[in-house]
Amino acid sequence: MTVETRIGRRFRSLKDEGRGGLVIFVTAGDPNPEISLEIIKSLPAAGADIIELGMPFSDPMADGPAVQASSLRALKSGASMKKTLDLARAFRAGDDETPLVLMGYYNPIYIYGVDKFLADAKTAGVDGLIIVDLPPEENEDLCLPAIRAGINFIFLTTPTTDNARLPKVVEQASGFVYYVSITGTTGTASADLGDIKAAVERIGKQTDLPIAVGFGIKTP
Amino acid sequence: MKSLNTYRAGPDEDGHFGIFGGRYVAETLMPLILSVEKAYSEAKNDPEFACRMSYYFSQYVGRPSPLYFAERLTGHLASSRGGAKIYFKREDLNHTGAHKINNCIGQILLAKRMGKTRIIAETGAGMHGVAVATVCALFDIPCVIYMGSVDIERQAPNVLRMNMLGAEVKPVTSGSSTLKDAMNDALRDWVANVEDTYYLIGTVAGPHPYPVMVRDFQSVIGEEVRQQMQKAEGRLPDTLVACIGGGSNALGLFFPFLDDASVRIVAVEAAGEGIDTGRHAASLTAGAPGVLHGNRTYLLQNEDGQINEAHSISAGLDYPGIGPEHSWLHDVKRAEYVSITDDEALDAFHLCTRLEGIIPALESAHAIAQVCKMAGGLARDNLLVLNMSGRGDKDLDTVAKFKSSQKSGGTAA
C-alpha cells in the first residue's frame, strides 16, 4: 500500500468538487530565480491545481520553440538542478497543498546522481516526476527508484501508444497519466477535442489513475 | 576488467552495450523505434534484402573500395627504428565521396520495405546529407535534411549538391547551430510526422536499433579489408586507425576485427584547438557518460548535465557525443581512443595531398595525423590500415580560409 501523495489528495478533492483540474507548466529559473519564484507562488491563486516545474535542459528534443527559449533563458541566468530544487523548496515553504511535479529530461538528473536527486527532491517537497526521454523500457533508471523513494512517476501516453502497448506504459504509472494529445512538440499544433475524448476513454479502460491532457495547447 | 569471450555479441535485446546504448526517447517515438527494430531484424534475415544491398553496393556505390598501399607516405614516415606499412581503405572513392552511402543504401531499402514515404536526416559536414539526398533521388522519396546554420556556411558545396539532388535543406539555428542541434530538430520533425516519415540517422548513435543497424551496414568496410589484406599480404592487419565523430566509419572498419586479439585498434577524436582549451569534440577523452539523443554514452557536458558545444575544424567530427558501442569498447579497453588537434589534422591534410595525390576529408585527416605520430615507432612489417573515410573537396574553402587567417595572424604552421 503506497502512501497517498499531494497529487492523490488533490485529485480526490477535485473529484469531490466535481471539477477538472488545471495543471500549469513553467520553466524553473525563467527568466531568473527571483521572478521565477514569484511566478510559481502566484500560480495556485491564479487557478493552478498542480504545478509542473520544468527542469531546464540545453537540448529539449521534445519541445517546441517557446519551451526551448524558456529553457535557454533560464540556463543563461544561471539555472541548475540545485537551483531548481531550491525553488521547489522555497515554494513548498509557503504552500503545503499544491502538488509540485518536476518535468524535463533525464541527463541533468543522471549527472546529479539518481539517489541524491530523489532524496533532495523528496526533502524539497516534490511530489512527482515527468521525464520525457524515459519510456517504460528504461524503468530501471529512475522510475522504480522514484517509486521506492515515495515520488510519483508520471508516464506520457501519446496518440501512437496503441492498445497493445498501453498496459506496459501504465504498469508502473502513479500520480496521474499524462496524455500527449498531439504527435508533435509542445505548443506546435492544437488537438481535436473529439480525438482527445476518445483517447481519454481508451486510456481510462487501462488505468484507474486520473488523466491529464497536454502538449496540444497553443493558446489559453 | 575480466576478459570477454567475444567483443562482437552486443548489444543485448534492449540495445545495451554494457551500461551504454538503450532507448531514451519520448513515448511518441517508442512505437516507431520498435517497428524499425522489428523491420530491421526481419530484413537482416531475408536473403532478398542482402541480395539487393549487395547489388547496389557493387553497381551503384562502386564496392569493393580499394585497399591501397600508400607507398610514399610509408616511405616518408619510416624511421631508422622502423615504420609501419600503410594501407588506405579508399572509402573516399565511393559514390558521393565517403563511407556514408553504405549506411544510406541499407536504410533506404529498409524505409521502402516499411512503406515510408518521406525521409528526414541530420547532417554535419553534409556528407551524410548528400548521401541521403542521393538515395532519395534514386528511390524517388522526398527528403528533408536538417543542418546547422554554421555548417551550412562552412560546407556550401554540399548544400548545393543536396539542393540539386532535390532535397530540402532546413537550416537549424537553435543551440550551437551544428550537428547536435540538427539532430534535435530532426527528432522534433519525427515526433510530428510519425506516420509517414523515416528518420535516416547517419551514424552509430541514437536509440536502439540505430547503433547496431548502422554498424552492420558499415561493417562491409572491415569485411572487405579482411579479404583484401589476406590477398595482399596473406594475413590480418596489425593496426587499424580511423577518425570518430559519431563513429560509423571507425566501427565499420573495426567491428569485423574486434575478436582478433592481435589487431590493435586506434580511434581518433577531434581535439579541436586543444583538449585543455575546452574547444574540442573529444567525448571519450574529456567527456563523461550521460544520456542524449536516445542513448547513454560519453558526452561533452558541464557539471549540471547541460550539453556543451563541440568544436572542430572538421564539421563531421563536431558532435558532443559518440556512438554507445565506442563508449563500451573504450571502457573495456578493446580500442584505444586518442585525439588530434585542428592544426595537426591540417598538416596531415597537406602532407597526404602532396605525397599521395589524394585530398582527404578533414575528418580522415585526423586519422592520417595519428598515423604520422605512430607509424615511425612501429615495426617495419606492421601492417597498418587507415580508413580514408571521405574525400576533401568539400573542405577546400575551410582549408584556404585557415591558411589566409594564419598568414594575416602571422602564426607559424
Side-chain angles (χ1 to χ4, degrees):
Chain A
M1 186 67 199
T2 50
V3 184
E4 193 180 46
T5 61
R6 289 186 193 89
I7 297 173
R9 278 199 293 279
R10 176 53 50 99
F11 275 106
R12 195 154 44 77
S13 67
L14 285 170
K15 201 173 177 184
D16 292 345
E17 294 170 36
R19 66 177 181 97
L22 178 64
V23 185
I24 298 277
F25 173 92
V26 289
T27 299
D30 174 30
N32 62 49
E34 296 74 28
I35 297 178
S36 188
L37 179 60
E38 290 311 309
I39 293 172
I40 297 161
K41 277 181 170 172
S42 72
L43 290 176
D49 297 299
I50 295 176
I51 296 172
E52 270 177 29
L53 194 54
M55 298 175 281
F57 184 47
S58 53
D59 293 77
M61 281 94 63
D63 284 298
V67 178
Q68 287 177 47
S70 75
S71 212
L72 291 180
R73 272 195 307 270
L75 288 172
K76 269 201 180 126
S77 60
S80 65
M81 184 58 80
K82 190 183 165 298
K83 286 185 183 167
T84 298
L85 292 169
D86 288 346
L87 204 59
R89 196 176 303 109
F91 169 79
R92 187 54 79 216
D95 182 333
D96 196 31
E97 302 292 320
T98 310
L100 197 57
V101 174
L102 295 183
M103 180 166 187
Y105 297 81
Y106 181 41
N107 197 55
I109 296 174
Y110 179 68
I111 296 306
Y112 192 90
V114 165
D115 292 340
K116 183 174 182 312
F117 169 79
L118 290 171
D120 291 356
K122 185 77 188 164
T123 316
V126 169
D127 305 291
L129 301 173
I130 303 175
I131 309 301
V132 179
D133 53 356
L134 283 179
E137 276 73 8
E138 307 296 348
N139 272 353
E140 302 281 334
D141 270 274
L142 183 64
C143 168
L144 300 179
I147 293 169
R148 284 195 293 271
I151 294 181
N152 288 152
F153 199 85
I154 293 137
F155 280 90
L156 302 172
T157 59
T158 72
T160 61
T161 314
D162 62 17
N163 284 334
R165 180 169 168 79
L166 203 46
K168 185 182 175 78
V169 177
V170 299
E171 189 190 353
Q172 299 292 346
S174 54
F176 60 95
V177 171
Y178 190 132
Y179 179 62
V180 176
S181 64
I182 51 163
T183 53
T185 51
T186 45
T188 49
S190 295
D192 178 85
L193 278 178
D195 292 348
I196 292 179
K197 188 163 182 282
V200 169
E201 277 169 12
R202 183 167 72 88
I203 299 164
K205 285 185 186 148
Q206 305 274 0
T207 178
D208 293 331
L209 292 171
I211 299 159
V213 179
F215 264 60
I217 297 164
K218 261 171 108 171
T219 50
Chain B
M1 170 129 338
K2 191 172 72 171
S3 82
L4 301 165
N5 291 329
T6 175
Y7 292 94
R8 288 161 46 89
D12 68 15
E13 61 179 32
D14 293 316
H16 297 109
F17 302 90
I19 67 161
F20 302 104
R23 287 178 287 220
Y24 297 87
V25 296
E27 173 62 22
T28 312
L29 293 180
M30 259 323 290
L32 206 56
I33 301 276
L34 293 172
S35 74
V36 171
E37 184 188 343
K38 184 164 173 282
Y40 176 57
S41 75
E42 284 166 9
K44 203 165 53 174
N45 296 313
D46 180 357
E48 169 67 21
F49 187 81
C51 184
R52 294 198 72 193
M53 287 260 310
S54 94
Y55 168 80
Y56 286 105
F57 274 3
S58 68
Q59 301 302 306
Y60 190 71
V61 177
R63 304 208 69 89
S65 67
L67 183 69
Y68 162 74
F69 171 41
E71 196 170 358
R72 290 199 69 209
L73 185 66
T74 296
H76 179 82
L77 296 174
S79 67
S80 53
R81 288 177 296 146
K85 186 170 184 184
I86 300 162
Y87 283 85
F88 290 170
K89 178 59 173 167
R90 298 292 308 275
E91 291 298 299
D92 59 318
L93 292 179
N94 292 341
H95 179 43
T96 73
H99 69 291
K100 293 292 186 188
I101 191 82
N102 303 329
N103 167 48
C104 287
I105 292 286
Q107 287 199 55
I108 198 77
L109 290 172
L110 189 71
K112 282 292 244 191
R113 210 180 147 97
M114 293 176 74
K116 299 294 181 184
T117 55
R118 177 176 176 265
I119 301 290
I120 55 169
E122 84 295 336
T123 195
M127 297 313 284
H128 175 55
V130 166
V132 172
T134 298
V135 296
C136 286
L138 178 65
F139 287 88
D140 193 23
I141 303 185
C143 74
V144 175
I145 313 280
Y146 289 89
M147 186 168 186
S149 56
V150 169
D151 292 337
I152 286 182
E153 196 180 322
R154 59 180 167 176
Q155 303 289 336
N158 274 343
V159 176
L160 197 58
R161 287 164 86 192
M162 286 184 269
N163 286 331
M164 283 182 174
L165 288 159
E168 182 189 348
V169 180
K170 281 204 176 162
V172 175
T173 52
S174 60
S176 55
S177 306
T178 59
L179 184 53
K180 88 171 167 79
D181 311 289
M183 202 151 178
N184 289 338
D185 269 14
L187 284 165
R188 289 177 186 126
D189 179 312
W190 206 20
V191 165
N193 298 286
V194 279
E195 291 302 323
D196 62 345
T197 299
Y198 181 90
Y199 182 13
L200 208 166
I201 294 182
T203 191
V204 287
H208 179 62
Y210 283 96
V212 61
M213 178 165 68
V214 177
R215 177 198 78 193
D216 290 351
F217 291 149
Q218 291 293 2
S219 289
V220 65
I221 300 171
E223 282 154 14
E224 285 177 6
V225 165
R226 218 180 161 89
Q227 289 179 10
Q228 289 166 322
M229 191 57 94
Q230 194 64 39
K231 204 169 167 198
E233 301 278 355
R235 64 183 181 89
L236 290 175
D238 299 298
T239 310
L240 305 175
V241 182
C243 63
I244 39 170
S248 70
N249 91 78
L251 209 49
L253 173 64
F254 300 164
F255 186 72
F257 295 99
L258 290 179
D259 285 342
D260 297 293
S262 67
V263 180
R264 181 180 173 194
I265 294 174
V266 182
V268 186
E269 297 191 293
E273 295 171 16
I275 298 292
D276 50 4
T277 67
R279 292 177 57 81
H280 59 80
S283 329
L284 285 171
T285 307
V291 174
L292 181 72
H293 292 154
N295 57 172
R296 192 197 319 268
T297 194
Y298 276 82
L299 300 172
L300 297 179
Q301 53 185 326
N302 69 13
E303 66 292 341
D304 191 46
Q306 309 297 336
I307 308 306
N308 288 340
E309 292 176 18
H311 292 276
S312 169
I313 191 170
S314 140
L317 304 182
D318 203 347
Y319 179 67
I322 186 167
E325 192 165 5
H326 281 295
S327 290
W328 179 73
L329 289 170
H330 170 268
D331 280 12
V332 299
K333 298 187 165 55
R334 174 59 186 103
E336 296 164 48
Y337 292 85
V338 298
S339 63
I340 285 291
T341 64
D342 291 348
D343 289 342
E344 291 169 327
L346 277 162
D347 288 347
F349 174 95
H350 291 297
L351 185 72
C352 180
T353 302
R354 289 296 179 87
L355 280 178
E356 294 290 348
I358 294 171
I359 302 178
L362 278 174
E363 290 78 17
S364 318
H366 284 71
I368 301 167
Q370 175 59 25
V371 169
C372 292
K373 274 189 182 174
M374 67 192 288
L378 297 173
R380 209 167 284 280
D381 61 351
N382 191 293
L383 302 177
L384 185 152
V385 178
L386 171 141
N387 202 4
M388 186 63 76
S389 55
R391 54 190 293 163
D393 305 50
K394 68 186 174 62
D395 294 315
L396 299 184
D397 268 3
T398 305
V399 173
K401 265 186 201 153
F402 190 87
K403 257 194 160 170
S404 61
S405 78
Q406 271 198 330
K407 260 180 207 158
S408 60
T411 42

